[in-house]
Amino acid sequence: MKREYLFVDAYNIIFSWENLKQLAGSSLEDARKKLLDILSDYQGSLGAEVIVVFDAHNVAANPGSINPYDNLTVVYTKEDETADNYIERCARILAKNYKVRVATNDNLQQIMITGKGAIRISANELYEEVVSFKKEQNAKYVGRRPVKRNQLFDNLDDNLKETFMRMIRQEGDK
C-alpha cells in the first residue's frame, strides 16, 4: 500500500469552519489547538501522515519550525514563506512517489497542487470527512450496550466472552 500524506492549510481551514472561525474571534491560540485536536483524532482512522501548516511568514527573523503534536506534524513556516509555498514545494516532491492530498479553499493553491500531482480537497470536504469519522466512532464505541458493573467481563464482545467461558469450564473439569 502506498504511503499517504494529508497537508492541511491550517489558517485557511480555521477561517472556513464556522466553529473554529468563531473560536478564533476570541482566541486564535484556542482555535489552533482545537484544530490540532480534531485532526489528531481524525488521523487515527485516516492512516495517512497529517501535516498541518501554519503561516508564520510575517514573523520577523522567524526560522520556522517543525514540531510533533500527538500523531501530527505541525509546521510553522519561516519568514517570507507562506503555508501555500511550503505545501506546494512538499506536494511537488512527495506526489512523485506517494498519494498526497491538500486541504484548502485557496483556489490558486488548489490549481498549483493539482498541477504538481496532488489531490485537492476543500475545507468543507475535510469537515465532512471528520464529521463522518466522528459518527462512525460514536456508533462503534458509544453505541455499545450499557455496562452492568464496569467490570472487564461486562465490556467484552460476545466472542471473547464465550472464549473465556470455555476456558473457565475447562479449568473446572480438571
Side-chain angles (χ1 to χ4, degrees):
M1 189 162 132
K2 203 173 188 183
R3 189 169 184 177
E4 296 182 26
Y5 292 89
L6 171 63
F7 285 88
V8 177
D9 187 344
Y11 288 127
N12 189 277
I13 299 300
I14 287 172
F15 291 106
S16 296
W17 291 4
E18 195 56 41
N19 59 334
L20 294 178
K21 185 177 181 178
Q22 288 177 1
L23 186 57
S26 59
S27 172
L28 189 54
E29 180 60 33
D30 288 347
R32 282 192 295 255
K33 184 172 181 344
K34 180 74 173 174
L35 175 63
L36 292 175
D37 289 342
I38 290 168
L39 293 174
S40 178
D41 190 34
Y42 174 61
Q43 190 279 339
S45 76
L46 188 60
E49 184 170 337
V50 178
I51 302 161
V52 185
V53 184
F54 289 96
D55 277 311
H57 68 279
N58 289 328
V59 179
N62 178 23
S65 65
I66 300 174
N67 306 302
Y69 182 92
D70 290 338
N71 51 355
L72 306 173
T73 300
V74 179
V75 176
Y76 289 92
T77 61
K78 62 186 176 183
E79 182 180 17
D80 295 329
E81 180 181 42
T82 66
D84 294 356
N85 297 139
Y86 183 88
I87 291 169
E88 289 165 19
R89 184 168 34 93
C90 291
R92 179 177 34 85
I93 294 166
L94 293 172
K96 292 175 185 174
N97 299 309
Y98 305 105
K99 180 179 177 181
V100 176
R101 296 191 315 152
V102 177
T104 183
N105 272 352
D106 184 317
N107 290 330
L108 181 58
Q109 186 179 24
Q110 289 176 347
I111 293 167
M112 295 295 288
I113 59 102
T114 54
K116 308 239 186 287
I119 301 164
R120 69 130 195 111
I121 62 171
S122 70
N124 287 339
E125 289 170 319
L126 180 61
Y127 183 79
E128 290 302 321
E129 285 183 17
V130 168
V131 167
S132 176
F133 158 74
K134 202 64 159 161
K135 284 180 184 175
E136 287 175 21
Q137 293 303 307
N138 284 340
K140 187 174 181 180
Y141 297 109
V142 177
R144 294 181 62 178
R145 62 187 170 276
V147 175
K148 297 174 190 143
R149 294 180 312 270
N150 198 21
Q151 294 182 352
L152 175 63
F153 195 77
D154 294 331
N155 291 295
L156 298 177
D157 66 43
D158 292 336
N159 290 337
L160 202 48
K161 281 183 183 179
E162 181 58 35
T163 301
F164 278 123
M165 291 306 295
R166 276 196 307 267
M167 290 170 49
I168 290 169
R169 285 192 291 270
Q170 288 174 354
E171 196 61 35
D173 291 342
K174 290 184 179 180

